[in-house]
Amino acid sequence: MARRRARRFKVAVVGATGVVGRELVALLAERGFPLEELRLLASERSVGEALEFGDEERRVERLEGRALAGLDLALLCAGEAVSRAWAPAALAAGALVVDTSAAFRLAPEVPLVAPELNPEALEDLGPGRLVACPDGAALAASLALAPLARAAGLRRVVVVACLSASHAGRGGLAELDQQTRDLFNFRPARVERFPHQVAFNCLPRCGPFEADGATALERGLADEVRRLLELPGLPLGVSMVQVPVFSAHGLALHLEPGRPLSPEEARELLGRAPGLRLVDSPAEERYPLATEAVGQDEVLVGRVRADAGGLALWATVDNARRGAALNVLQIAERLARGPLAR
Ligand SMILES: NC(=O)c1ccc[n+]([C@@H]2O[C@H](COP(=O)([O-])OP(=O)(O)OC[C@H]3O[C@@H](n4cnc5c(N)ncnc54)[C@H](OP(=O)(O)O)[C@@H]3O)[C@@H](O)[C@H]2O)c1
């Protein structure tokens, strides 16, 4: 008897030339996603640009209405404004939309999904539905906190997130690069995207301040972690710092569990949780580094220790790959095996 051919899908990556979009295109090739067609979309600026797709080169096309026709999946990686403007058109065209921006992360009717934590949120989705992805720092914090929360509960968490320049996209990377070169060549650093010189500096401000002195990104991290962990009342303090690192965030997490949790038990829980890799041998100078997180598919966690009656730990995450593109791809893979295959 002839076997039914596995379904293949028409997919668009919107924002394919960006930091997240490029990672996503690479992952689609690397993990052999079942593609019938791949459309790489961006603005007028990048039309015709060649992007690597495995061993091939693919050309970038303009994001416009007809580029969204007939799609199974629209993967949006072009920022909040583009998501707000184009998600409705992609949905109306019948695509299932996965969005990496902040536009819909807190909308109650839109599931915020990290497949390691809440894959069941994808079960009832179908064409014309929207899925939001968390920010990379929120995803890393949630993956690290989830096994501890499940085992012991959480009373309170404080997160200090040190954001890499790639968090601010290609423009952020280019500015850190240019400032570093300028300063090494005794030229003044030109400041455009960040509020101050970011090279050789740490800025206690990621995004504009709000009336209470916090930033939308800080508030977003707290809200997204609460949503992913399904702990709406969790007291969660956040400070974000822009650091002069090109790729990979670092996060200091301080937590008060619901019952006493020893560092040994926490290490054991973290060591077998999905999406995490325990790197914790301080005597051998082994702990999570930004440089070691780059290109990895796990959040690295370590320096697990008792702290002020609770626990402290340090995590690093490749914000573009693990923190964004891989989450999108894992969602797409599950949809391809489940709701889209039916
Ligand atoms: N970077 C991270 O670590 C990270 C992590 C999690 C989530 N995210 C989210 O992912 C999204 C993309 O971030 P990114 O860092 O990849 O940004 P990026 O490097 O600045 O890339 C932006 C992409 O969007 C495209 N684009 C911009 N305006 C457009 C328009 N009007 N029409 C069509 N395409 C347009 C750009 O295309 P052109 O080449 O034509 O300009 C480029 O491909 C953002 O929503 C961000 O919040 C980022």
Side-chain angles (χ1 to χ4, degrees):
M1 202 168 66
R3 277 183 47 198
R4 250 179 76 198
R5 260 183 78 214
R7 245 203 92 183
R8 307 188 84 77
F9 302 93
K10 294 184 182 174
V11 177
V13 177
V14 177
T17 53
V19 167
V20 174
R22 282 174 194 269
E23 286 288 343
L24 183 53
V25 173
L27 277 169
L28 283 163
E30 207 177 298
R31 291 171 61 127
F33 187 83
L35 290 168
E36 181 182 329
E37 186 185 336
L38 178 63
R39 300 178 200 162
L40 304 182
L41 308 177
S43 78
E44 180 70 39
R45 290 179 288 274
S46 305
V47 171
E49 189 179 320
L51 293 183
E52 276 178 28
F53 178 73
D55 296 335
E56 304 165 26
E57 271 195 350
R58 301 285 181 97
R59 297 280 161 189
V60 175
E61 299 167 57
R62 184 185 304 110
L63 171 61
E64 54 189 339
R66 64 194 166 132
L68 301 175
L71 287 174
D72 296 300
L73 273 172
L75 311 176
L76 307 188
C77 314
E80 199 170 327
V82 173
S83 291
R84 286 193 195 284
W86 287 94
L91 293 167
L96 212 156
V97 175
V98 184
D99 184 34
T100 58
S101 82
F104 308 105
R105 284 177 189 153
L106 300 177
E109 70 283 8
V110 177
L112 179 70
V113 178
E116 288 89 350
L117 301 178
N118 59 348
E120 67 287 350
L122 299 172
E123 274 163 21
D124 299 326
L125 295 182
R129 293 289 305 276
L130 177 62
V131 183
C133 294
D135 177 55
L139 177 67
S142 302
L143 289 175
L145 291 169
L148 310 178
R150 269 192 217 115
L154 280 179
R155 285 212 182 100
R156 186 167 190 274
V157 177
V158 174
V159 181
V160 179
C162 302
L163 301 194
S164 74
S166 63
H167 178 80
R170 285 172 311 181
L173 283 173
E175 188 152 327
L176 175 58
D177 178 66
Q178 189 58 50
Q179 288 182 355
T180 308
R181 288 167 196 273
D182 284 342
L183 291 162
F184 270 129
N185 286 288
F186 307 102
R187 291 191 296 257
R190 205 150 16 95
V191 171
E192 283 168 10
R193 177 172 291 254
F194 297 108
H196 296 279
Q197 172 190 319
V198 67
F200 310 103
N201 213 354
C202 291
L203 313 179
R205 186 273 209 188
C206 299
F209 293 116
E210 300 196 330
D212 65 355
T215 68
L217 274 179
E218 288 166 336
R219 203 184 317 285
L221 187 149
D223 288 340
E224 290 169 36
V225 170
R226 289 190 194 103
R227 219 181 152 197
L228 285 170
L229 298 183
E230 296 180 50
L231 295 172
L234 178 69
L236 205 166
V238 182
S239 286
M240 280 186 173
V241 185
Q242 180 64 60
V243 295
V245 168
F246 284 95
S247 294
H249 300 336
L251 290 89
L253 298 159
H254 296 257
L255 55 118
E256 193 185 325
R259 65 156 171 87
L261 190 60
S262 69
E264 294 69 33
E265 191 185 346
R267 255 182 232 116
E268 157 61 29
L269 291 162
L270 294 164
R272 53 188 160 84
L276 299 180
R277 187 176 348 133
L278 189 67
V279 183
D280 202 13
S281 311
E284 297 156 53
E285 298 297 334
R286 297 280 299 128
Y287 27 73
L289 298 173
T291 46
E292 288 184 2
V294 172
Q296 300 302 306
D297 289 349
E298 293 96 16
V299 175
L300 310 186
V301 287
R303 289 218 61 216
V304 182
R305 61 203 191 276
D307 172 70
L311 283 173
L313 56 102
W314 171 254
T316 58
V317 58
D318 182 327
N319 45 291
R321 183 180 171 101
R322 168 62 276 196
L326 183 63
N327 199 62
V328 175
L329 191 75
Q330 287 177 338
I331 291 173
E333 287 173 342
R334 281 182 180 267
L335 293 170
R337 287 195 301 270
L340 283 178
R342 291 198 275 270

